[in-house]
Amino acid sequence: MSEAASRPPLIDCARAQLRVIGALVIREMHSRFGRRRFGYLALFAEPLLLAGTIALIHQTRSGGEGIRGNFEFFAIGYLLFFNFRGIVTRSSGTIPSSLQLLYHRQVTLPDVFYARHLIESVACTGVMAIFVFAAIAFGGDAPDSPMKMLAAMGLMFLLAQGFALMIGAATSEWHGIERGIHVLTYLSMPFSGLFFMVDWLPTWMQEIVIWVPMVHIFELLRDGQFGDRFRPVYDLSYVAAWILATHLIGLAGLRVARRRIGLE
Amino acid sequence: MAHPFTWWVLLPTAIVAAYFYLVAAPQYVSETRIVVRSRAEAPTVSLSGAISSAMGGGGGASSVESNSVREFLLSHDAVMRAQDRLDLVSIWQREEADFWARLAHSDPERLTKFYNSMVSAVFDSSTGLLTLRVRSFRPEDSKAIAETLLELSEGLVNGLSERAREDALRIAHAEVGIAERRVLAAREALTGFREREQDLDSAGTAAAAAQTIAALEATLTGARAELRERMAFMRADNPALLATHNRIEALERQIMAERTRRTQGNGTLAQQLASYERLVLEREFADRQLASATASLETARMDAQRQQLYVARVVAPNLAVYPLYPRKLISVGSVFLGLSVAFGIGWLLVASMRDHAA
């Protein structure tokens, strides 16, 4: 800490990082949706259409009772999973597609990841708000606690970001991992809590499923969505442990990866 | 020495370790295990029984009641009742308790919150056992609280059981009462009829009347035969023949009179018999209803006895010798690990911010 006085204060560095992330968000939007007038709408259209159709399919197929037959159960639940999937599946391509950006001194690898994750999460949160308001407009119930739903979305953002950082670092080290990522995220869907509430399962399945961090986030989301209509089972400190551990490994891995990329 | 790791991780860990190893008061655990059983030997064919067995509920142990007991044990109701009996506030504010672990406020809400941190009740649905763990700063306090909580839950289960039994028996009792009133009414009606008609047994009277008529007709037939016999060898104006004629006429009149008296007009035997038989039938129905109501009451009583719930103590509350809590090594270790991870992330974040310094 001897050179601390010569370095610029931390707050200026943080401002610089925020500016870089903001610029990266705009660049990412341009490269993904082009410069056409309504290009940005595609960002919202994709989760909107996917979640809407999947919820429709489930509603017509099962036609279940209680909150399970509810349109919002699958629509909003799928959005949460879409956030996770979108962040994690894109993570393996983040470093290769932004290699030339790294020639700028101020752009670091985590910034590129943060920018992408922010875009996904803002899109999913926006569509979630649309679904909530649409449900109220069509005569549904207002969510019990919107703050819990937003918190669930935020936790899912952080958890997915932790995984994405890890995967991004790992793919720069070992190519070929990205092939498995799509399969794994797709296979994780049945275990993610999207289709069930822990309370509905038999005891032995509950004990297994409770180890999956995403299940806790889904329970939090549905606690905010439906309130007292079922018994939620979640432990946010467990989710926090997952988030911290993945971020630690991911951020450290990115520092290692950066050195390797710099050598190339 | 001046490394930030020292300040952010090692120092807080040292403080936490100093608290746990030097300051923290030992906490003694008293553990008890109970099972809420129903007396039913055979598997019940009720819906809840089927569901609980499908969900892996233990045989004989009723999971619904066990969960009720668990919810009760963790509720403000249990706290207040235990407070009435035992004065929980002073137990958790003993002088040996350290400032951090002791109960700070004695209002019911925060007492309940503190209670929930010191008392745990876990229901294991595969064995049906309800495990109750109580922590306090003296072994005998823990045991006393556990005992009190057990007594409270026994009271709760007995209350539930009593209530269920009363519900089951009340309907059967009411049925028996209705049947009894009906029997009494039928018997009274019959007695009233007998007094009014001055006739103990209308059926017997009718039979007697029929016998009288039959006897008269037999005599009439005999008299007619005698008349024929005498007409064969007597002259028409023979006085003996005349006497037989007179007897036959008298008999015929008598038979006619008997029949008229029994069967025509008001208050005759026919009407009397009809109302008598109606009353007898009513009495028989009432008797049968009473018998079946009594039988179903008996069945209900047996069922209620079989379904009676009770708390069986599998493991009695123990008196701790060694304080299991606070868990020093685990607590200090998890603080160290958590701070290290947080520090690592913080360091990485700060480092990546520093990279932006032009």
Side-chain angles (χ1 to χ4, degrees):
Chain A
M1 285 283 164
S2 56
E3 52 189 337
S6 67
R7 290 198 286 183
L10 194 59
I11 185 80
D12 289 347
C13 298
R15 278 203 196 103
Q17 186 174 19
L18 283 181
R19 272 201 310 278
V20 168
I21 293 174
L24 282 172
V25 166
I26 290 171
R27 176 192 172 273
E28 179 76 20
M29 297 283 276
H30 279 167
S31 65
R32 258 172 78 181
F33 305 111
R35 285 167 191 276
R36 275 167 287 119
R37 188 171 294 167
F38 295 114
Y40 292 170
L41 283 183
L43 179 66
F44 293 95
E46 194 187 349
L48 188 75
L49 286 175
L50 254 171
T53 42
I54 281 183
L56 267 181
I57 288 168
H58 274 287
Q59 203 184 19
T60 49
R61 250 184 51 197
S62 65
E65 65 287 340
I67 58 172
R68 189 137 193 219
N70 211 322
F71 181 77
E72 300 104 289
F73 183 82
F74 284 111
I76 294 177
Y78 192 78
L79 276 177
L80 195 63
F81 187 77
F82 188 87
N83 191 9
F84 181 81
R85 208 197 61 173
I87 291 175
V88 170
T89 49
R90 278 185 225 285
S91 62
S92 53
T94 304
I95 294 180
S97 72
S98 57
L99 271 180
Q100 69 271 39
L101 282 173
L102 298 174
Y103 288 112
H104 301 282
R105 258 202 74 199
Q106 290 182 327
V107 178
T108 59
L109 274 176
D111 295 344
V112 186
F113 281 92
Y114 295 155
R116 291 187 158 209
H117 304 163
L118 277 176
I119 293 173
E120 289 293 338
S121 291
V122 165
C124 285
T125 314
V127 177
M128 186 169 90
I130 293 174
F131 270 125
V132 167
F133 285 121
I136 295 171
F138 281 109
D141 294 334
D144 187 63
S145 161
M147 277 318 290
K148 281 184 182 167
M149 296 173 71
L150 283 179
M153 197 51 111
L155 282 176
M156 192 55 111
F157 162 68
L158 287 175
L159 183 70
Q161 172 161 288
F163 277 114
L165 294 175
M166 274 170 60
I167 292 165
T171 42
S172 78
E173 192 77 30
W174 304 289
H175 294 284
I177 289 181
E178 68 263 28
R179 306 250 177 272
I181 298 302
H182 282 271
V183 181
L184 281 180
T185 41
Y186 196 75
L187 286 182
S188 73
M189 197 152 84
F191 304 101
S192 66
L194 170 57
F195 299 114
F196 57 83
M197 306 297 321
V198 174
D199 202 27
W200 301 345
L201 298 176
T203 317
W204 65 271
M205 273 171 90
Q206 286 187 11
E207 282 162 11
I208 297 170
V209 123
I210 212 83
W211 289 98
V212 182
M214 273 191 282
V215 170
H216 294 266
I217 302 177
F218 269 99
E219 295 279 319
L220 175 66
L221 172 84
R222 271 143 195 179
D223 185 26
Q225 225 178 328
F226 301 109
D228 294 332
R229 281 196 263 167
F230 70 100
R231 195 169 63 89
V233 183
Y234 57 85
D235 181 6
L236 293 186
S237 57
Y238 179 69
V239 181
W242 268 89
I243 290 173
L244 286 179
T246 49
H247 271 77
L248 183 67
I249 298 170
L251 286 173
L254 281 184
R255 286 192 84 76
V256 175
R258 169 160 211 185
R259 254 172 239 141
R260 275 177 50 84
I261 293 164
L263 285 176
E264 281 174 357
Chain B
M1 193 57 207
H3 194 276
F5 190 74
T6 317
W7 297 109
W8 291 101
V9 179
L10 292 183
L11 187 67
T13 310
I15 293 172
V16 170
Y19 164 73
F20 274 115
Y21 281 95
L22 302 176
V23 182
Q27 295 175 14
Y28 297 88
V29 181
S30 182
E31 187 183 286
T32 175
R33 284 167 201 239
I34 56 171
V35 59
V36 181
R37 294 190 70 97
S38 59
R39 231 178 274 273
E41 300 296 328
T44 48
V45 203
S46 68
L47 186 63
S48 67
I51 289 172
S52 73
S53 64
M55 302 292 270
S62 49
S63 68
V64 177
E65 282 77 11
S66 298
N67 274 319
S68 317
V69 170
R70 190 182 68 90
E71 292 294 324
F72 167 74
L73 282 175
L74 300 178
S75 71
H76 57 92
D77 191 15
V79 178
M80 287 299 106
R81 289 192 203 188
Q83 167 70 20
D84 285 345
R85 288 200 191 186
L86 217 71
D87 195 7
L88 294 175
V89 173
S90 64
I91 281 180
W92 279 321
Q93 284 182 340
R94 300 269 189 225
E95 61 269 19
E96 56 259 52
D98 60 279
F99 66 96
W100 188 256
R102 72 187 298 161
L103 173 65
H105 305 276
S106 61
D107 50 315
E109 286 73 21
R110 276 182 278 194
L111 175 62
T112 307
K113 210 173 163 189
F114 186 82
Y115 171 95
N116 276 318
S117 71
M118 298 298 264
V119 174
S120 81
V122 181
F123 175 61
D124 182 355
S125 60
S126 61
T127 58
L129 283 173
L130 185 67
T131 307
L132 178 71
R133 280 197 194 88
V134 180
R135 279 191 283 150
S136 78
F137 303 104
R138 285 179 192 173
E140 54 270 28
D141 282 346
S142 292
K143 192 181 179 189
I145 296 173
E147 279 287 351
T148 311
L149 288 177
L150 271 190
E151 280 161 21
L152 287 176
S153 50
E154 270 165 3
L156 174 83
V157 167
N158 289 344
L160 284 177
S161 172
E162 190 65 30
R163 179 75 197 279
R165 204 176 57 193
E166 271 172 13
D167 275 355
L169 290 185
R170 203 179 51 231
I171 297 167
H173 267 302
E175 282 296 320
V176 171
I178 291 171
E180 273 172 358
R181 278 196 294 283
R182 193 172 164 194
V183 167
L184 283 181
R187 301 215 164 205
E188 258 168 33
L190 199 57
T191 312
F193 173 83
R194 279 173 176 153
E195 281 171 354
R196 199 167 58 246
E197 302 290 336
Q198 298 182 340
D199 189 0
L200 273 183
D201 185 0
S202 289
T205 314
Q211 265 177 6
T212 313
I213 291 172
L216 284 173
E217 280 190 338
T219 321
L220 176 63
T221 314
R224 278 188 179 145
E226 195 185 330
L227 179 67
R228 292 251 172 83
E229 184 197 341
R230 288 191 180 177
M231 271 167 76
F233 60 88
M234 282 185 186
R235 279 208 329 267
D237 57 348
N238 190 312
L241 207 59
L242 207 62
T244 312
H245 261 299
N246 285 344
R247 222 171 102 219
I248 287 171
E249 264 172 37
L251 278 170
E252 279 171 349
R253 267 204 307 279
Q254 184 63 35
I255 286 170
M256 193 60 73
E258 281 289 332
R259 289 218 168 115
T260 316
R261 190 162 74 82
R262 303 293 188 215
T263 57
Q264 281 172 17
N266 261 340
T268 56
L269 192 61
Q271 283 185 346
Q272 209 180 326
L273 192 63
S275 46
Y276 175 77
E277 272 172 355
R278 205 170 55 237
L279 288 172
V280 169
L281 206 60
E282 167 67 18
R283 192 188 62 185
E284 268 173 30
F285 279 148
D287 281 347
R288 254 180 242 167
Q289 191 187 356
L290 179 63
S292 81
T294 317
S296 61
L297 173 65
E298 212 49 49
T299 323
R301 193 171 280 152
M302 274 163 63
D303 276 355
Q305 245 163 23
R306 218 180 317 133
Q307 284 166 10
Q308 204 172 18
L309 294 168
Y310 62 96
V311 171
R313 299 186 184 198
V314 181
V315 178
N318 60 320
L319 189 67
V321 177
Y322 178 78
L324 288 176
Y325 284 84
R327 296 192 176 165
K328 298 166 186 164
L329 199 61
I330 291 178
S331 306
V332 175
S334 53
V335 165
F336 177 71
L337 201 67
L339 283 176
S340 301
V341 170
F343 179 82
I345 291 173
W347 185 81
L348 286 167
L349 287 177
V350 169
S352 78
M353 281 183 205
R354 290 255 184 250
D355 288 342
H356 296 83

